[in-house]
Every structure is written in structure tokens, then in C-alpha cells.
Amino acid sequence: MSATIKDIANKVGVAPSTVSRVLSNKTKYYNSLTAEKVKKAAEELGYKKNQAAVELVKRESNVIAAVVSSVKTNFAGEIIDGIQEEALKHGYDLIVVYAGSADSDEQKRALLTVIERPVMGILLLSIALGEDNLKLLKESQIPYCFLSMAFDDNRPFISSDDEEVGYKATKLLIDKGHRKIGLAGIDKFPYTGRLRLQGYKKALDEAGIVFQEDWIQTGDYSYLSGEKAMDQYGKDTDLTGIVAVSDMVAIGLLNKARNLGLNVPGDLSIVSIDGTEMCRIVQPQLTSISQNFFEMGKSGVQRIEDIKKHKKLVNLQQMIPTRIEERQSTTQKENLTYF
């Protein structure tokens, strides 16, 4: 069997996309030393260019790839629905690849799965890439955009304002008379978790409430994180309200609270962040700060379409508005009975 681009990449220690650019005489994103190493390895391995594959790559692609975090949350489905609807309008196909949220190797495998195929754009759903993988993505020269995650640098994204989301959820409970408010299931990594924590603390500070470290329970936005958080708070918690950083965390809190003999919202009010259909199919239904995930998906495809048409990205970063939806899991602190 003849050598492949991947074989050369493994031998030299660079990305397959870099080998492809060197062998195609594209000059961006590598230096002369790298080019020399790649060409030498190609010669040693007896690499022969597959002309049929070259012609396939040159053919204009109509495929959009969605790279999805494998963390067990449920909002990705709504984003994919939005991507699918908008893609169909333009005659595009969609492929979906799953990757670990913070595992660098899993992220790299997912990216290579996409990059090594002819795709017109890549949409990354709630994934914070490490520096090496971000470099790999940029070097591919394929248009990309992050969805449901905002960044401090110039990476293109479409997301909710996570600081505002944390602020809104906390202030809703404060406005209902709660003064001891937890924040459950939040991640330790930058971006989403950090911004929601900032919003949470901002609302407490404005209300003159002294923040306490044990009000925070970390996690990964999953159902299990909600259960673990409620276990840590315990049956005798002095909290009267909790902000859950995802619907799955909120349901984990809700079910564990019931197991501990606590009434929601009589003993404990819960506000969820996300607002997917899960909020409406549990009892009591969950009050939420609802994000428009469907619109994020649609806007992501429109972003790729804009790049295709204009060869550049004008609107680099976009915030999608959120809304408060009050349901049954919150009550005024004075009202201790749930009907």
C-alpha cells in the first residue's frame, strides 16, 4: 500500500493539513524548514499524489460539519435542528462529529475527521479548543464559527451573553426575596463558567449580599453534577434558592432535593439556565433563563454562507438575546407552599 498524507504527517510530526498544503505548494501557515522535512519524508516513504483525491478536494463542497461536545447535556439538539433547517434552505448537507469537551486528544481526532474531508465550513458547538487544536483548525483554512460559547479574543462565535445570563438568573431569585443563593454545576474552565459566575456575583453584590464560597458547586453541566451538588448542599442547607447552570443540572437538583425530603419551590427555589423542552416536561416545571439555541444554529449556517459569498467575515461575534420564562420551580420567599 502506498504512503498517505497521514503517514507523512506522523513521520514529520505535523498536521495532515500542513502536509497537504506543502505538497500542493500553498505557502501559508508553515515555514521553509517544515516544507523541507515534509518533502524529504514524502520521498523516503515513496508518496504518490492521488490525482482523483486532489480533484475531489478541489470540487466545491456543499457539506457543513458540526463538531459537538460529548458532555451529557441536551441543548445541542436544538442547535443542530437550527443548523439542519438553514442548511436545507441553501442545499447544504450536514455531518455531525462528537468530541470531548475538554479532552485534547478527543478534540484533535474529531477535528481531523472533519478537516481531512471536503467541507465548506465547521461549526463547533460549546467546545473550547486547546491552543494546539485551535492552531490546527486555523491552519485548515476552512471557515469556522463557535456556537454557544463566547471568547475574549477574536475567535468568531455566536452565543448568549453568559455574564448577563448568570446575572439574570440570580437577580430573579433576589427579586423574589431570596438572600442565600447557590450556583450549581458550573465548570472550572474559562469562558462560559467564568462569565456566568461573574454575572452571579455581580447580582449578589448589587443586592448587598455577601458571597460565600460554599454556595458554589462545580460540575460539567450534566444531570450527575446536579445530583452531586444537591448532596453537597444537604437536606439542612440554609440556601433558599439555587441557580442551575443547565437544565440537566436543574433536574438533577430537583430529583435529589425530592429524595432528601425537600419541597421545590416551598423549601428551595430553582432557576435553570438553558430553557430547553426539559423544563416543561418535569414536575414542577422549571423556571428558566432561556437561550435561543435554534437561532444560534441558523445563524451559524448563515455565517458560513456569508464567508462563501464575500470571502470574509464582517460580523465576527454575535450575541443572541435570552428571555426569562417563569414556571413552577420558583416562588416568593415568604410563600412556603407549592400547589
Side-chain angles (χ1 to χ4, degrees), residues 3-19:
T4 66
I5 283 177
K6 189 176 289 188
D7 294 329
I8 299 170
N10 289 337
K11 183 176 178 65
V12 179
V14 297
S17 56
T18 300
V19 175

Side-chain angles (χ1 to χ4, degrees), residues 64-89:
I64 291 177
V67 181
V68 184
S69 168
S70 60
V71 172
K72 294 179 174 62
T73 57
N74 63 311
F75 65 83
E78 293 188 13
I79 298 180
I80 292 172
D81 287 345
I83 294 172
Q84 183 71 59
E85 180 177 291
E86 192 66 20
L88 286 172
K89 287 181 184 178

Side-chain angles (χ1 to χ4, degrees), residues 21-304:
R21 279 192 294 278
V22 171
L23 297 179
S24 299
N25 295 316
K26 295 179 180 178
T27 57
K28 281 190 175 182
Y29 302 108
Y30 64 85
N31 56 40
S32 58
L33 180 59
T34 298
E36 184 180 335
K37 289 180 179 178
V38 167
K39 290 175 182 177
K40 182 179 179 183
E43 184 178 348
E44 290 175 353
L45 293 171
Y47 172 77
K48 301 292 185 184
K49 184 178 290 188
N50 185 335
Q51 190 59 35
V54 171
E55 290 174 358
L56 177 62
V57 172
K58 286 184 176 179
R59 191 182 306 161
E60 185 175 0
S61 173
N62 71 334
V63 176
I64 291 177
V67 181
V68 184
S69 168
S70 60
V71 172
K72 294 179 174 62
T73 57
N74 63 311
F75 65 83
E78 293 188 13
I79 298 180
I80 292 172
D81 287 345
I83 294 172
Q84 183 71 59
E85 180 177 291
E86 192 66 20
L88 286 172
K89 287 181 184 178
H90 298 281
Y92 302 150
D93 293 324
L94 172 67
I95 61 171
V96 179
V97 178
Y98 287 88
S101 179
D103 185 283
S104 179
D105 290 338
E106 287 185 29
Q107 289 181 354
K108 184 176 181 179
R109 281 195 293 271
L111 286 176
L112 289 175
T113 298
V114 170
I115 289 170
E116 292 174 357
R117 287 160 173 77
V119 297
M120 63 177 290
I122 302 172
L123 299 173
L124 300 104
L125 282 61
S126 195
I127 292 179
L129 296 178
E131 287 302 316
D132 288 345
N133 287 328
L134 182 60
K135 181 182 178 183
L136 175 64
L137 178 63
K138 290 178 177 178
E139 287 180 347
S140 74
Q141 299 185 54
I142 299 171
Y144 66 91
C145 183
F146 291 88
L147 303 181
S148 189
M149 181 165 286
F151 299 96
D152 297 329
D153 54 26
N154 62 354
R155 269 174 275 189
F157 69 76
I158 300 169
S159 182
S160 303
D161 184 332
D162 282 300
E163 181 173 350
E164 180 188 66
V165 164
Y167 177 85
K168 275 185 176 180
T170 311
K171 191 172 188 306
L172 189 153
L173 288 170
I174 292 170
D175 289 345
K176 290 183 176 295
H178 298 271
R179 305 288 293 178
K180 296 181 178 181
I181 301 168
L183 180 65
I186 200 160
D187 64 311
K188 299 177 181 178
F189 304 103
Y191 312 121
T192 303
R194 174 177 57 81
L195 291 169
R196 290 182 184 177
L197 179 60
Q198 285 177 193
Y200 163 82
K201 288 183 175 180
K202 178 181 177 182
L204 293 180
D205 186 61
E206 284 184 1
I209 299 172
V210 179
F211 164 72
Q212 297 183 33
E213 288 290 343
D214 61 359
W215 289 357
I216 305 295
Q217 293 296 328
T218 58
D220 63 359
Y221 300 86
S222 65
Y223 176 88
L224 185 60
S225 291
E227 285 193 316
K228 287 181 176 179
M230 195 64 241
D231 268 333
Q232 291 298 311
Y233 291 135
K235 179 178 181 180
D236 298 320
T237 182
D238 60 353
L239 297 177
T240 63
I242 300 176
V243 174
V245 296
S246 75
D247 294 343
M248 296 304 289
V249 169
I251 296 170
L253 287 167
L254 180 66
N255 289 344
K256 179 59 70 170
R258 183 182 294 119
N259 291 343
L260 292 174
L262 296 173
N263 178 274
V264 176
D267 300 315
L268 191 66
S269 285
I270 297 174
V271 176
S272 181
I273 294 174
D274 280 349
T276 66
E277 64 179 2
M278 298 298 292
C279 292
R280 296 181 290 278
I281 63 177
V282 296
Q283 289 295 326
Q285 293 185 349
L286 291 165
T287 292
S288 66
I289 308 300
S290 297
Q291 304 188 69
N292 195 338
F293 295 115
F294 188 82
E295 185 61 33
M296 288 182 200
K298 288 180 61 178
S299 297
V301 176
Q302 292 164 4
R303 182 73 61 86
I304 300 300

